[in-house]
Amino acid sequence: MDMSETNRNKKSEYLKRRFPAKEGFIERMKMLLGEEDAKIFFEICYTETPDYIRCNTLKIQPDELKIRLKRYGWKIKQPFEKFPEVMIVNCNGAGALGKSKEHLLGYFYVQEISSMLPMLVLQPCDGDVLLDLCASPGSKTTQAAAMMGNGGSIVANEVSMGRLGILSSNLERCGVMNTVVTRKEGVAFCNKLLNKSQIRFDKILVDAPCSGEGTLRKSPKTFEMWNKKMIYKIAGLQRRLASSALKILKVGGEMIYSTCTLAPEEDEFIVNFLKKNFDIEILEISLPLKFREGVCEWDGEKLSDDMKKCLRLYPQDNDSDGFFVAKIKKLSDKCLLRGDA
Amino acid sequence: MKFNIMERSKKKRFIEGVSHFGIEKIDETLVKWGSERIRAYSGDFSRDEIGKLRFLLPVEGIGLYVGKDAINKRTGVHEYRLSLDAVSVWGDKIVKNIIDIDEAQEDIWFTGADVDLTEEQVGELNGFVVVRSKKDGDFIGVGKLGLGNVLYSFMPKERRRKVNVIT
């Protein structure tokens, strides 16, 4: 066992003592994964994720970036043949990635693989009109702009003034030119456009605020903050955000609903709610990653079988964070809801 | 924030203002943001759609901040300045008024400090220059040449390197 592994083990043991998982959370994960897999889940949650970066193809091509980063003595892996812009970097020293010249110049974005999934699934392209409803810090907006080659149009919305600064600064660093940044609460944003304009979107990302069960490796404090009440409370907001967004999606357009949590109330339950109230189709997702299908039954409640088409990413499957993605196609403007859900 | 899509004549004036770097054409729509800033927007939204968005929602940004069109308060001279990201995205258009700096100077540059240049580096250049890395050929910002061969830095605070760690 080398020194760095010993240190990692020590850190992991410390985190386990400092941020123990609450009983209710453990029970829920056992219900989702089974006893054995839940044990593996909680083991990996106290370890760090590998350093993923995404090459910003608006400024540099992956092959050139790879050569440059290797000069620092860093080990670079491109785990997906289909997505050469996705790289795992093994670098020495904390903060080295962020301080490198290539980062300062916006040649890459430090972004966990799970966070890249929504755009890899949505595949925005030049000519699309895209809405990123909860856009800060801008990882997915900058990814979309790169995929669109700065063409088409993006509206990046963020409600929080503080987070807006981070969003703007990341958009600048990455050389994003096709984006309009707005500051409005998500539901109000959608209602304004719905009622007072003809602007509709080809593609929408609702990366909703969530309880963050998938980000425990990055932020072990979430163990401390976790509680069941918060899940139910936040699910209400997610339902309102997702259904409002669906109303300003063009017929035939596609929407991604994603969260960085594994709680079915915030994931499949929201998609199931949309399925019940809108004329939509849940689309199959295909990605070169190990992922699991969505849950169709939870806590005694049966959901549509279509929820199987949703993507669940568990940290232990790809050594990543946890994530949830659903891809939705709008078939018509039919809506059974009154008000904001 | 008050902003206006620039008319053709105003866009032409900005292009003329930065033409000493070799820039002859800008494809993007230029937007005057506040009283001095210029932003470049490459998206497909029409003038009307942008107007509608602005009417309905608080627009906090559009496109990329590419430069300033302002009167220097000290000298009273009208100046056109490019931003760090403008020289990065329009790099292929920039062919004149370029200063190449070596690795040691580059380390200083990225901290946001002013850089001492040699007479050979400065040559006949004066005023605003685009700064290029001798090592990689990257455009790494915009500076202003001052007396005593000093290159004054315009590196934005949030893009400065706090400690030099990469060697």
Side-chain angles (χ1 to χ4, degrees), chain A residues 15 33 47 50 56-57 83 104 106 150 160 180 182 223 270 285 311 321-322 333:
Chain A
L15 290 173
L33 294 167
T47 62
N56 178 18
T57 51
F83 308 116
L104 295 171
N150 255 339
S160 149
V180 176
T182 58
F223 275 117
I270 307 296
I285 294 172
L311 177 156
D321 279 335
D333 277 323

Short mmCIF file of all heavy atoms in Angstrom, two decimals, chain A residues 15 33 47 50 56-57 83 104 106 150 160 180 182 223 270 285 311 321-322 333:
data_model
loop_
_atom_site.label_atom_id
_atom_site.label_comp_id
_atom_site.label_asym_id
_atom_site.label_seq_id
_atom_site.Cartn_x
_atom_site.Cartn_y
_atom_site.Cartn_z
N LEU A 15 -14.02 10.63 7.31
CA LEU A 15 -15.32 11.09 6.81
C LEU A 15 -16.47 10.21 7.33
O LEU A 15 -17.55 10.71 7.64
CB LEU A 15 -15.34 11.10 5.28
CG LEU A 15 -14.48 12.18 4.61
CD1 LEU A 15 -14.44 11.99 3.09
CD2 LEU A 15 -14.99 13.58 4.93
N LEU A 33 -31.43 -0.69 -3.55
CA LEU A 33 -30.30 -1.45 -4.10
C LEU A 33 -30.17 -2.88 -3.56
O LEU A 33 -29.46 -3.69 -4.15
CB LEU A 33 -28.98 -0.72 -3.77
CG LEU A 33 -28.76 0.64 -4.43
CD1 LEU A 33 -27.59 1.37 -3.77
CD2 LEU A 33 -28.47 0.47 -5.91
N THR A 47 -15.30 8.05 -0.56
CA THR A 47 -14.06 8.17 -1.33
C THR A 47 -14.21 9.31 -2.35
O THR A 47 -15.32 9.77 -2.59
CB THR A 47 -13.76 6.87 -2.11
OG1 THR A 47 -14.82 6.65 -3.04
CG2 THR A 47 -13.65 5.67 -1.17
N PRO A 50 -12.71 10.38 -9.42
CA PRO A 50 -11.57 10.76 -10.28
C PRO A 50 -11.81 12.17 -10.83
O PRO A 50 -12.94 12.64 -10.88
CB PRO A 50 -11.62 9.73 -11.41
CG PRO A 50 -12.67 8.75 -11.08
CD PRO A 50 -13.51 9.29 -9.99
N ASN A 56 -12.95 21.92 -24.01
CA ASN A 56 -13.84 22.92 -24.60
C ASN A 56 -13.51 23.07 -26.07
O ASN A 56 -12.58 23.79 -26.45
CB ASN A 56 -13.68 24.25 -23.86
CG ASN A 56 -14.55 25.34 -24.46
OD1 ASN A 56 -15.51 25.06 -25.18
ND2 ASN A 56 -14.23 26.58 -24.15
N THR A 57 -14.28 22.39 -26.89
CA THR A 57 -13.97 22.34 -28.32
C THR A 57 -14.22 23.68 -29.02
O THR A 57 -13.92 23.81 -30.20
CB THR A 57 -14.78 21.23 -29.01
OG1 THR A 57 -16.16 21.38 -28.66
CG2 THR A 57 -14.31 19.85 -28.59
N PHE A 83 -16.80 9.95 -27.22
CA PHE A 83 -16.73 11.31 -26.67
C PHE A 83 -15.28 11.65 -26.29
O PHE A 83 -14.92 11.64 -25.11
CB PHE A 83 -17.63 11.45 -25.43
CG PHE A 83 -19.05 11.00 -25.65
CD1 PHE A 83 -19.57 9.92 -24.96
CD2 PHE A 83 -19.87 11.66 -26.55
CE1 PHE A 83 -20.87 9.49 -25.15
CE2 PHE A 83 -21.17 11.24 -26.76
CZ PHE A 83 -21.68 10.16 -26.06
N LEU A 104 -7.28 28.43 -17.10
CA LEU A 104 -7.51 29.89 -17.07
C LEU A 104 -7.96 30.41 -18.43
O LEU A 104 -8.75 31.34 -18.52
CB LEU A 104 -6.22 30.62 -16.64
CG LEU A 104 -5.74 30.35 -15.21
CD1 LEU A 104 -4.36 30.95 -14.98
CD2 LEU A 104 -6.71 30.90 -14.18
N GLY A 106 -9.69 28.70 -20.53
CA GLY A 106 -10.98 28.09 -20.91
C GLY A 106 -10.86 26.95 -21.90
O GLY A 106 -11.80 26.66 -22.63
N ASN A 150 -21.25 27.20 -30.97
CA ASN A 150 -21.65 28.61 -30.78
C ASN A 150 -22.75 29.05 -31.75
O ASN A 150 -22.96 30.24 -31.97
CB ASN A 150 -20.45 29.56 -30.87
CG ASN A 150 -20.03 30.06 -29.49
OD1 ASN A 150 -20.80 30.03 -28.54
ND2 ASN A 150 -18.80 30.52 -29.39
N SER A 160 -30.67 32.69 -8.77
CA SER A 160 -29.87 33.28 -7.70
C SER A 160 -28.84 34.26 -8.24
O SER A 160 -28.05 33.94 -9.14
CB SER A 160 -29.16 32.16 -6.93
OG SER A 160 -27.94 32.59 -6.43
N VAL A 180 -28.03 33.89 -24.16
CA VAL A 180 -28.63 35.02 -23.44
C VAL A 180 -28.84 34.55 -22.01
O VAL A 180 -29.42 33.48 -21.78
CB VAL A 180 -29.99 35.43 -24.07
CG1 VAL A 180 -30.64 36.55 -23.26
CG2 VAL A 180 -29.81 35.86 -25.52
N THR A 182 -30.50 35.01 -18.35
CA THR A 182 -31.61 35.70 -17.67
C THR A 182 -31.65 35.31 -16.20
O THR A 182 -31.13 34.25 -15.82
CB THR A 182 -32.96 35.34 -18.31
OG1 THR A 182 -33.14 33.92 -18.24
CG2 THR A 182 -33.05 35.79 -19.75
N PHE A 223 -24.69 14.22 3.88
CA PHE A 223 -25.11 13.17 4.83
C PHE A 223 -25.80 13.80 6.04
O PHE A 223 -26.78 13.30 6.54
CB PHE A 223 -23.88 12.40 5.33
CG PHE A 223 -23.45 11.27 4.43
CD1 PHE A 223 -22.21 11.29 3.83
CD2 PHE A 223 -24.27 10.18 4.20
CE1 PHE A 223 -21.79 10.25 3.02
CE2 PHE A 223 -23.87 9.13 3.39
CZ PHE A 223 -22.62 9.16 2.79
N ILE A 270 -41.51 12.44 -10.50
CA ILE A 270 -41.72 13.68 -11.26
C ILE A 270 -42.01 13.33 -12.72
O ILE A 270 -42.95 13.87 -13.33
CB ILE A 270 -40.46 14.59 -11.18
CG1 ILE A 270 -40.04 14.83 -9.71
CG2 ILE A 270 -40.68 15.90 -11.93
CD1 ILE A 270 -41.02 15.56 -8.86
N ILE A 285 -32.62 5.72 -23.48
CA ILE A 285 -31.32 6.40 -23.44
C ILE A 285 -30.22 5.38 -23.71
O ILE A 285 -30.24 4.27 -23.16
CB ILE A 285 -31.10 7.05 -22.05
CG1 ILE A 285 -32.13 8.18 -21.83
CG2 ILE A 285 -29.69 7.59 -21.91
CD1 ILE A 285 -32.14 8.76 -20.45
N LEU A 311 -32.67 6.88 -16.70
CA LEU A 311 -31.29 6.43 -16.41
C LEU A 311 -30.95 6.73 -14.95
O LEU A 311 -31.12 7.86 -14.49
CB LEU A 311 -30.33 7.15 -17.34
CG LEU A 311 -28.83 6.96 -17.26
CD1 LEU A 311 -28.19 7.30 -18.60
CD2 LEU A 311 -28.17 7.77 -16.17
N ASP A 321 -20.16 10.25 -9.56
CA ASP A 321 -21.23 10.67 -8.65
C ASP A 321 -22.51 9.93 -9.04
O ASP A 321 -22.56 9.27 -10.08
CB ASP A 321 -21.46 12.18 -8.78
CG ASP A 321 -20.45 12.99 -7.97
OD1 ASP A 321 -19.92 12.44 -6.98
OD2 ASP A 321 -20.19 14.15 -8.32
N GLY A 322 -23.55 10.09 -8.25
CA GLY A 322 -24.85 9.51 -8.61
C GLY A 322 -25.66 10.51 -9.41
O GLY A 322 -25.50 11.73 -9.23
N ASP A 333 -49.63 19.60 -27.51
CA ASP A 333 -49.75 20.63 -26.46
C ASP A 333 -50.76 20.25 -25.39
O ASP A 333 -51.02 21.03 -24.47
CB ASP A 333 -50.15 21.97 -27.09
CG ASP A 333 -48.94 22.71 -27.66
OD1 ASP A 333 -47.88 22.65 -27.03
OD2 ASP A 333 -49.07 23.33 -28.73
#
